[in-house]
Amino acid sequence: MNNDSVHTKIRNLLDLHDIKYQTLHHESVGKSDEVAKARGTRFEQGAKALLCFNGEKYLLAILPANKKLDFKALAAATGGKRVSLADRGKTEEITGCVIGSIPPFTFNPCIELVVDPSILELDEIAFNAGRLDCSIVMKSIDYEKIIRKSGTRLLPITKE
């Protein structure tokens, strides 16, 4: 698994769209609360990425780190009867990232990106950039510009 490849793809995508961002190098941690401390950002700024499967397709659900995924809402919004987290091996295989380093973008056409709109209410988002020891902080308005261009659906998929 070449996490540097995903990291490079993210930076290339942001550079292509002339997005200003900050790269932070930090201790290699995977849990949302721990990485927020390591990078010096607020917990809720974290863009949590969860790879799910609805029986037909893979979905990369993006939500604020302080919220929980509503599996029923995600299933209803994406036409599945049931949604579950993809297993670790499959997640790492199709995202190219270890658990905890998955960014809020997908570079695999087999994965549909689904973003909870509450993440766009924040001024900035922070996320591990394909590596556990490196994060990117960017304006949420810039994130929205990129995902809207790709046709990403914004759907309420969280619960408190």
Side-chain angles (χ1 to χ4, degrees), residues 10-23:
I10 296 165
R11 292 178 60 118
N12 289 344
L13 175 68
L14 298 177
D15 292 344
L16 176 70
H17 291 280
D18 294 319
I19 302 297
K20 291 183 180 168
Y21 60 92
Q22 182 181 10
T23 302

Side-chain angles (χ1 to χ4, degrees), residues 14-53:
L14 298 177
D15 292 344
L16 176 70
H17 291 280
D18 294 319
I19 302 297
K20 291 183 180 168
Y21 60 92
Q22 182 181 10
T23 302
L24 303 173
H25 297 277
H26 51 75
E27 181 183 352
S28 180
V29 291
K31 290 189 176 184
S32 299
D33 58 339
E34 294 171 351
V35 75
K37 287 178 188 171
R39 64 183 167 221
T41 58
R42 295 186 329 273
F43 179 52
E44 64 271 13
Q45 281 182 277
K48 181 168 34 178
L50 301 172
L51 187 69
C52 301
F53 187 67

Side-chain angles (χ1 to χ4, degrees), residues 39 41 44-47 62 104-105 119-127 136-141 143-144:
R39 64 183 167 221
T41 58
E44 64 271 13
Q45 281 182 277
I62 308 301
F105 302 101
I119 198 151
L120 303 176
E121 296 168 6
L122 303 165
D123 183 46
E124 291 182 324
I125 63 168
F127 54 91
I136 287 180
V137 178
M138 63 185 289
K139 297 281 187 193
S140 59
I141 193 167
Y143 177 65
E144 183 178 11

Side-chain angles (χ1 to χ4, degrees), residues 63-74:
L63 54 149
N66 65 328
K67 295 192 176 183
K68 295 186 185 302
L69 179 61
D70 184 335
F71 288 94
K72 289 180 182 177
L74 182 59

Side-chain angles (χ1 to χ4, degrees), residues 62 64 115-122 154-157:
I62 308 301
V115 176
D116 187 88
S118 67
I119 198 151
L120 303 176
E121 296 168 6
L122 303 165
L154 297 173
L155 300 167
I157 55 169

Side-chain angles (χ1 to χ4, degrees), residues 6 21 29 46 66 69 76 81 111 114 135 139 152 157 160:
V6 173
Y21 60 92
V29 291
N66 65 328
L69 179 61
K81 291 183 180 178
I111 302 172
V114 180
S135 293
K139 297 281 187 193
T152 296
I157 55 169
E160 295 302 322

